[in-house]
Amino acid sequence: MPDAAPALQQDPAQQLDALAGLKIEFFHEAIQAGEAERRTSTPDDPPNAGGSRDYFGRVRRLREILRSEKGWKRYNVNGLPLVVNEAKTIAIGVVLGDAQTGVPGMRQPRSKRPVGEIKQSLVIQNQQDALFDLPSSPQDAVLDDEEISNLDTWFLVTCRRRSSKGKVTVHSELSLAVKLDIQGYVVRWDPRICLPPLEFEGVIGYIEGTDDGPTEFEVPVEEH
């Protein structure tokens, strides 16, 4: 069966604007910041230093942009860094995807790290915070259980590829996670907003299996 034509025709700029007044530049700037951080690593660093710095830079810059441009706030759950809109209906995180990332069509990318049962973890964290009455910054979001139930968690999904000519291309999409496999990996997204790819000059060699940074976050996965 051929890929669905509508997925190829949708304008990502219009999709982002309709979602929450977002712009492609917000996500491209976050990816560029991560790539710049990656290139500060040296051969004397651990093998995964470049990927770790890239991930940290993407998360930090995306949060900075959405806080300054849109008034969003930070929100963390079990090591998963999110940024949440003012209405507390949309959260965005960052995750690595496979080679299908950023490619429109029926085939779905799979996250390269498990994300677990996000909403369940958010509720558990709320219960723990209530016990200890932990203080929060004005820049940090506070959500009650009802707000969590209405929260859609989207991810900036990225896949970094290196060509035979040494160029680096980062494919990406902003997508809503809707189905996890039994191990907690995201295997279905709907909708998917595929973003234009970004190309960089190759500087740091790609090391398969070590270049993607640390386990990005650890959210407990409920056993079934």
Side-chain angles (χ1 to χ4, degrees), residues 140-155:
D140 294 328
V142 177
L143 283 73
D144 60 31
D145 290 352
E146 181 178 355
E147 289 168 334
I148 288 172
S149 69
N150 294 323
L151 187 69
D152 286 333
T153 306
W154 294 67
F155 286 93

Side-chain angles (χ1 to χ4, degrees), residues 90-164:
I90 298 173
I92 297 178
V94 172
V95 72
L96 295 172
D98 63 14
Q100 195 60 31
T101 301
V103 181
M106 297 295 290
R107 294 184 62 187
Q108 295 271 322
R110 182 177 186 265
S111 68
K112 295 187 72 173
R113 301 283 187 265
V115 302
E117 295 291 345
I118 298 168
K119 288 194 176 182
Q120 177 183 348
S121 299
L122 289 170
V123 171
I124 292 173
Q125 176 165 299
N126 269 8
Q127 295 169 347
Q128 294 172 341
D129 290 349
L131 287 175
F132 296 102
D133 193 23
L134 298 175
S136 61
S137 162
Q139 297 302 321
D140 294 328
V142 177
L143 283 73
D144 60 31
D145 290 352
E146 181 178 355
E147 289 168 334
I148 288 172
S149 69
N150 294 323
L151 187 69
D152 286 333
T153 306
W154 294 67
F155 286 93
L156 171 60
V157 191
T158 60
C159 179
R160 187 175 188 267
R161 306 176 196 168
R162 189 177 181 188
S163 71
S164 59

Side-chain angles (χ1 to χ4, degrees), residues 22-50:
L22 303 174
K23 298 179 180 180
I24 293 174
E25 303 91 87
F26 295 169
F27 302 100
H28 276 184
E29 187 173 332
I31 293 169
Q32 290 166 339
E35 188 68 22
E37 289 289 337
R38 176 186 291 270
R39 292 164 189 249
T40 64
S41 66
T42 73
D44 291 321
D45 286 312
N48 66 344

